[in-house]
Amino acid sequence: DTSVESLTPVKLRSWHIGWLYRGLASRVKEFAPDLIHVVSEPWGLLVEQALWTRRPVVAHGAENQSYAHGSGWEAPLRKVLATRHLHQLAGFASWNEAGIDLALERGLSTSVPLLVAPAAVSDPDPFLEAARTRPSCRTLLGMNSRTRYVGFVGRLAWQKGLQHLVDAVALLGRSDVELIVA
């Protein structure tokens, strides 16, 4: 069973790590998920909020050199939060091995599942080939060469968030952008 909830983030002043989501704890309690996957650095307050729910939390971060950066008091606070949160995580994903190593150095248990999930495309050839064949494909499909097409391929169910894509394309207010839904 899939459910999608949209919570509005609240930013605490100009604090980079100060994003909170009102209603997160009540939604988690209501849905009782088996796992919460948070795409945020281990020092982030979103990870803290997820851990407060007492559900297993997996953080997915990109830091690979140090958790102690930022101006003034942010650097030491990030280091403290990262260390505290890493001890509590049920799993961790990073963009590279250096990120995994950093998390392990700061206290992540070696017994939790780890994953390297690169944020880069390793082989550009399929995309380069698509770029070369794009004009002939557009002609074949009767698509305008000056129009920018945004595509969605998937099940037409509200859980997929298609309504957000429709709204985003509409907000662009551009006549040269068209949404294709398959």
Side-chain angles (χ1 to χ4, degrees):
D1 194 22
T2 302
S3 179
V4 174
E5 286 288 324
S6 181
L7 301 174
T8 303
V10 177
K11 185 168 177 146
L12 305 177
R13 299 189 187 195
S14 62
W15 191 22
H16 176 71
I17 64 174
W19 289 97
L20 294 176
Y21 287 79
R22 287 194 181 125
L24 179 66
S26 61
R27 295 299 191 273
V28 169
K29 184 176 181 180
E30 178 184 341
F31 296 125
D34 295 322
L35 179 76
I36 300 173
H37 178 208
V38 181
V39 181
S40 177
E41 299 301 338
W43 43 256
L45 288 183
L46 183 53
V47 173
E48 175 105 1
Q49 267 193 286
L51 289 167
W52 286 343
T53 67
R54 304 222 185 270
R55 293 299 209 186
V57 175
V58 173
H60 191 151
E63 294 279 2
N64 61 15
Q65 294 182 7
S66 171
Y67 294 133
H69 59 83
S71 60
W73 51 269
E74 281 192 48
L77 181 58
R78 285 179 193 200
K79 191 174 176 181
V80 167
L81 289 174
T83 300
R84 185 172 79 198
H85 296 164
L86 287 165
H87 285 290
Q88 300 175 60
L89 291 177
F92 186 73
S94 179
W95 290 7
N96 55 41
E97 287 291 338
I100 298 287
D101 292 342
L102 177 63
L104 291 168
E105 288 169 17
R106 296 298 315 160
L108 181 67
S109 172
T110 57
S111 66
V112 301
L114 304 171
L115 173 69
V116 173
V121 177
S122 57
D123 181 8
D125 286 341
F127 299 97
L128 295 172
E129 179 61 25
R132 284 190 289 274
T133 61
R134 182 178 297 126
S136 61
C137 289
R138 281 180 174 234
T139 300
L140 181 67
L141 295 170
M143 300 169 94
N144 184 322
S145 64
R146 291 178 301 276
T147 300
R148 294 174 186 259
Y149 294 96
V150 176
F152 172 87
V153 178
R155 195 166 40 95
L156 299 180
W158 70 271
Q159 295 94 338
K160 297 291 185 177
L162 179 59
Q163 70 277 13
H164 300 297
L165 182 58
V166 170
D167 292 344
V169 170
L171 281 172
L172 290 173
R174 294 177 55 158
S175 60
D176 65 334
V177 176
E178 189 174 320
L179 175 62
I180 306 288
V181 177

